[in-house]
Amino acid sequence: MALGYRSETRLLAVHANGGWSIIEPGQGQLLLRSAGNPNRQVTAADVLSDGRTVAAALADGATPFVIEGWQPANGGVTSTTVTLKGHTDWVYAVAVSPDTNTAVSSSADGSVRLWNWGNGQETRKLTGSERHVRSVAFSPDNTLVAGGTDGGRILIWRVGTGDVVQTITGPPSPVRSVAFDPAGKTLTTSSEDGQLRQWSVTTKP
């Protein structure tokens, strides 16, 4: 099972059977639950800012290595809102921008990709990392993407151009999680050495 917060009142739980739940963490109340699919493995997921839609990276025998938008429809049946296709190996991480216009994903195929979340089209590949990117996150203003690598570096790209605008030399161990603070000025990372670290975001417009 994988867990992730979109806000203080929404906790996403992704289950091994290819389904997911959204839970109110204070009382443990189940808010939404999808249908499961035991033939699908969920490798990464994010909750969109609407608190309902889930971006989930999937792999199965029929449609390998896709990212889908899932949303509960009438009667509790999960509907697919968009499908992103292009990765050729396991997807490590996926995130959707706060304005829900753009998605970013990283994969074992070595690529980091930006997508139009509305129509599912790939818009850009983000380059500059010599190691696999294991974690990704958008800045609150939708303009930056941060990625943490197996080699311990953190890269920050500008969404509009794809340029690397800041490189941070982090710990000598894989960076497994990255997150911007609400002001977009600080980046928090966690790594396999068991440490949480904070870094100043120094990009310029």
Side-chain angles (χ1 to χ4, degrees):
M1 176 184 289
L3 300 175
Y5 276 100
R6 165 54 75 174
S7 70
E8 293 180 357
T9 59
R10 299 274 176 161
L11 175 66
L12 167 68
V14 177
H15 304 286
N17 71 347
W20 52 268
S21 302
I22 294 179
I23 301 164
E24 185 278 307
Q27 302 296 322
Q29 179 184 2
L30 178 65
L31 302 178
L32 296 169
R33 172 178 286 167
S34 76
N37 185 339
N39 296 318
R40 285 183 151 186
Q41 182 174 351
V42 180
T43 59
D46 187 27
V47 185
L48 274 64
S49 56
D50 63 6
R52 291 174 50 85
T53 307
V54 174
L58 309 166
D60 63 29
T63 54
F65 317 126
V66 301
I67 300 166
E68 289 184 354
W70 292 348
Q71 189 174 69
N74 292 337
V77 178
T78 301
S79 62
T80 301
T81 59
V82 66
T83 301
L84 316 180
K85 296 181 179 180
H87 283 300
T88 58
D89 209 330
W90 301 102
V91 176
Y92 291 140
V94 61
V96 180
S97 59
D99 64 6
T100 71
N101 290 331
T102 309
V104 62
S105 58
S106 63
S107 168
D109 64 16
S111 69
V112 181
R113 305 180 188 218
L114 291 176
W115 312 81
N116 182 312
W117 184 251
N119 61 25
Q121 297 299 305
E122 182 182 322
T123 58
R124 180 174 284 115
K125 287 185 176 69
L126 301 178
T127 61
S129 175
E130 78 286 356
R131 303 290 293 274
H132 283 167
V133 173
R134 293 282 182 165
S135 53
V136 292
F138 277 95
S139 63
D141 65 0
N142 313 290
T143 65
L144 302 173
V145 165
T149 74
D150 272 348
R153 291 204 308 163
I154 301 99
L155 284 78
I156 299 179
W157 292 271
R158 195 170 303 284
V159 172
T161 64
D163 296 334
V164 177
V165 292
Q166 185 176 353
T167 301
I168 300 167
T169 300
S173 61
V175 177
R176 293 302 190 185
S177 182
V178 292
F180 285 90
D181 76 321
K185 301 298 184 182
T186 301
L187 193 70
T188 300
T189 64
S190 65
S191 54
E192 284 192 1
D193 63 3
Q195 299 295 312
L196 292 174
R197 295 175 172 87
Q198 290 190 317
W199 314 88
S200 293
V201 177
T202 59
T203 61
K204 298 180 179 180

